[in-house]
Amino acid sequence: MTDETRPLSGRTAVVAGATRGAGRAIARELGAAGAFVWCTGRSSTDAPSDYGRPETIEGTLELVRAEGGDGEAVVCDHLVADDVAELAERIGARSEHLDILVGDIGGEAYVSWGEPFWRADAVRGMRLVETGLISHLRTARALLPLLTARPGGLHVEITDGTSEYNATHYRESVWLDVTKTAISRLAFGLSHDLAGAEATAVALTPGWLRSEMMLEGFSTTEETWLSDALDPDRSVPPADFAVSETPHMLGRGIAALAADPDRHRFTGRTLSSFDLATTYGLTDLDGSRPDAWGFLKAKDADPDADPLAFR
């Protein structure tokens, strides 16, 4: 491989929450670009998480290596201080510094949809906040000393929704709304604290993600999702799912951002996968460039807006 095809060679990355979805694709794309990727998460071959999903952190590492990358899989509950401290020690012992830190622990599986705040399950709601926000704070605090050990580090927080969209739209759950908007604010705050270390902090959002959980929830597949979304005889997936994207569009964008020597111009901002794709000339796996947040804005003005016009 040439430096052009592996521009992140020699760099070390952590993807917290790399078991499935966006985290798995981000780990794969960073590995393919040459970074050594620490893949962390709770779901392992021996002990799956309470998500009850078949994906494992070891499986993610296998995919990274199958595509020519390298890394290490670490079972880590990012809500447990000792787990995160041990992760930091292992990384420091191997490389003494960290170049890229991605926080992609979501917690959306704990949302109680369609219920007002005072009736929704408070245990599940707090689990969402803890998983989707507190774990990010704990992870950043433990690993940022490694990221700031030398200039040029990149800290990425994965959220759901652009700042513009979230500022004017309620995300159907107070627990989810507070969590996801706080992630953008976390990246904004860290951009100020990291400035003295010449490090960059951004929040990034995918569009409508065709994750494993989403495909299964809509009873569709990566091969049939578009025809199923456009099938008038099906109620799910909805027609708007035609603007969805694979997790790799975000992963490709993060790899390009990490390789960009001028990435600091984005510090403190919340960007979408579409923003990154247009900035760096990228596409999704099928060659399209979906703009889910642009579509949702257009749909506010015209409920009959065509999602295919935004691919």
Side-chain angles (χ1 to χ4, degrees):
M1 293 281 187
T2 64
D3 288 343
E4 183 176 341
T5 57
R6 295 179 65 84
L8 302 181
S9 293
R11 299 197 204 177
T12 300
V14 170
V15 181
T19 309
R20 63 184 66 83
R24 171 170 279 192
I26 293 166
R28 292 173 66 180
E29 295 292 346
L30 289 174
F36 183 93
V37 186
W38 293 84
C39 308
T40 74
R42 293 180 298 155
S43 297
S44 68
T45 304
D46 298 327
S49 75
D50 58 353
Y51 270 39
R53 296 287 309 174
E55 302 87 15
T56 66
I57 202 66
E58 295 91 348
T60 296
L61 181 59
E62 289 177 5
L63 291 171
V64 169
R65 288 176 171 166
E67 295 168 8
D70 196 13
E72 188 167 339
V74 179
V75 178
C76 179
D77 186 338
H78 287 261
L79 283 172
V80 178
D82 288 347
D83 279 16
V84 183
E86 181 180 341
L87 173 65
E89 289 179 7
R90 291 180 64 173
I91 296 169
R94 183 187 185 277
S95 59
E96 297 183 351
H97 74 278
L98 181 62
D99 300 290
I100 304 159
L101 171 58
V102 181
D104 182 48
I105 304 170
E108 290 85 351
Y110 304 116
V111 179
S112 297
W113 298 107
E115 295 181 334
F117 175 69
W118 60 93
R119 292 178 184 164
D121 187 326
V123 173
R124 290 175 60 85
M126 284 305 300
R127 185 64 173 168
L128 166 59
V129 175
E130 290 166 353
T131 304
L133 175 58
I134 303 304
S135 69
H136 291 240
L137 293 167
R138 192 179 297 281
T139 302
R141 183 169 173 79
L143 296 183
L144 284 178
L146 288 170
L147 191 80
T148 58
R150 66 183 190 183
L154 172 64
H155 183 96
V156 175
E157 291 288 352
I158 306 300
T159 187
D160 180 12
T162 63
S163 295
E164 178 185 10
Y165 185 85
N166 286 343
T168 56
H169 293 78
Y170 175 51
R171 302 312 303 275
E172 299 183 49
S173 160
V174 166
W175 308 99
L176 181 67
D177 196 286
V178 168
T179 298
K180 296 307 179 182
T181 54
I183 290 295
S184 287
R185 193 66 186 182
L186 171 59
F188 175 75
L190 286 176
S191 72
H192 291 268
D193 282 2
L194 290 172
E198 300 180 39
T200 298
V202 297
L204 302 176
T205 177
W208 197 339
L209 202 66
R210 287 202 308 279
S211 64
E212 302 92 340
M213 291 176 66
M214 186 65 70
L215 290 169
E216 185 174 302
F218 283 152
S219 300
T220 188
T221 68
E222 187 55 37
E223 291 70 39
T224 65
W225 63 272
L226 183 56
S227 60
D228 288 344
L230 300 178
D231 186 344
D233 295 326
R234 288 180 61 116
S235 58
V236 293
D240 290 355
F241 198 55
V243 79
S244 65
E245 64 195 58
T246 76
H248 284 271
M249 185 160 149
L250 179 62
R252 289 177 170 182
I254 291 175
L257 179 67
D260 182 357
D262 194 29
R263 59 185 170 275
H264 194 68
R265 69 191 187 277
F266 297 120
T267 197
R269 294 178 56 186
T270 297
L271 304 171
S272 69
S273 54
F274 178 76
D275 292 331
L276 294 176
T278 53
T279 297
Y280 296 112
L282 307 172
T283 65
D284 204 348
L285 296 180
D286 63 359
S288 67
R289 188 179 291 163
D291 180 13
W293 302 107
F295 165 68
L296 290 175
K297 181 179 180 180
K299 192 174 180 179
D300 282 344
D302 177 10
D304 295 323
D306 182 5
L308 293 177
F310 291 82
R311 290 201 65 78

